[in-house]
Amino acid sequence: MKIKLAFLITALSFIGVFAQNDSDNRTDLGLSIQVYPAGLIPTLNLEKYLNENTSLLFRAGLNIVDRQDFSDFNDTEEGTGYGGTVGYRKHYPAGKGKFIAGLNLDVWSLSIDWTDTVGGDAFISGSTYTLVVQPWLEGGYFLPIKNTKSQIGLTLGFGREINVIVNGDEVEQGFIASASLQWLFSL
């Protein structure tokens, strides 16, 4: 609980610092839903432009995990946790919109409930806390929404989940691919 509270305070401090709108730099606020084979991540996003073609991305959200039978350690792994992203994006104008390329680092504080068959109908179950660090690359395209200060984008990502702290039995980690639908509004 202390780690979650410390993370939340840190994330809100960063958002507060970068949410101040300068006349020189644009700030976007928005929502995203990221899906990957073993879960779903809804987030609140803040994107602070350093210049016309470069921005910093901050996300805070919930990671809903359902690894089904993907784990090498257990038959099922399900759970949730809070966390967020710090990222760096480059923007490339193209047509009416823009392509983006980014490098992100996620940190997720997850509680995973697992079950494992030990023979016949017998099984064991447990719960594991894990702090996941996830570096990943993203690329995508954003289009402005006509007559608004909004834009909508679709990105694809590829990275790696790394369990840096594990309290309980081992749970899955590894490479991850994802797709994200994002809506942003310029402040």
Side-chain angles (χ1 to χ4, degrees), residues 81-170:
Y82 295 96
T85 303
V86 175
Y88 176 82
R89 282 182 170 170
K90 292 293 285 180
H91 303 261
Y92 304 96
K96 293 183 180 184
K98 62 184 173 186
F99 285 101
I100 63 103
L103 174 62
N104 300 294
L105 180 65
D106 286 12
V107 177
W108 299 104
S109 175
L110 300 174
S111 293
I112 304 293
D113 297 323
W114 52 267
T115 61
D116 202 14
T117 305
V118 291
D121 291 334
F123 68 92
I124 58 172
S125 62
S127 187
T128 297
Y129 167 80
T130 182
L131 184 68
V132 176
V133 172
Q134 182 179 324
W136 58 287
L137 300 171
E138 72 171 330
Y141 191 74
F142 282 78
L143 272 172
I145 299 172
K146 196 172 187 175
N147 299 324
T148 71
K149 291 182 169 185
S150 299
Q151 56 183 317
I152 191 162
L154 179 66
T155 65
L156 301 175
F158 181 76
R160 178 146 175 95
E161 290 180 310
I162 304 163
N163 296 337
V164 293
I165 297 174
V166 177
N167 186 0
D169 287 2
E170 194 67 36

Side-chain angles (χ1 to χ4, degrees), residues 8-161:
L8 182 60
I9 290 169
T10 303
L12 290 175
S13 298
F14 275 116
I15 289 172
V17 167
F18 286 99
Q20 297 172 2
N21 199 0
D22 300 315
S23 59
D24 298 338
N25 295 324
R26 190 172 99 205
T27 300
D28 291 347
L29 186 63
L31 302 170
S32 70
I33 187 82
Q34 182 178 357
V35 295
Y36 61 105
L40 176 74
I41 304 172
T43 64
L44 176 62
N45 301 354
L46 180 106
E47 189 165 0
K48 179 67 175 171
Y49 283 75
L50 303 175
N51 58 48
E52 187 177 327
N53 297 317
T54 307
S55 64
L56 296 176
L57 175 67
F58 301 91
R59 300 186 322 157
L62 177 69
N63 192 339
I64 304 164
V65 177
D66 182 2
R67 295 192 178 125
Q68 303 163 39
D69 62 354
F70 301 143
S71 176
D72 291 335
F73 301 103
N74 303 295
D75 292 337
T76 65
E77 293 182 3
E78 298 177 0
T80 59
Y82 295 96
T85 303
V86 175
Y88 176 82
R89 282 182 170 170
K90 292 293 285 180
H91 303 261
Y92 304 96
K96 293 183 180 184
K98 62 184 173 186
F99 285 101
I100 63 103
L103 174 62
N104 300 294
L105 180 65
D106 286 12
V107 177
W108 299 104
S109 175
L110 300 174
S111 293
I112 304 293
D113 297 323
W114 52 267
T115 61
D116 202 14
T117 305
V118 291
D121 291 334
F123 68 92
I124 58 172
S125 62
S127 187
T128 297
Y129 167 80
T130 182
L131 184 68
V132 176
V133 172
Q134 182 179 324
W136 58 287
L137 300 171
E138 72 171 330
Y141 191 74
F142 282 78
L143 272 172
I145 299 172
K146 196 172 187 175
N147 299 324
T148 71
K149 291 182 169 185
S150 299
Q151 56 183 317
I152 191 162
L154 179 66
T155 65
L156 301 175
F158 181 76
R160 178 146 175 95
E161 290 180 310

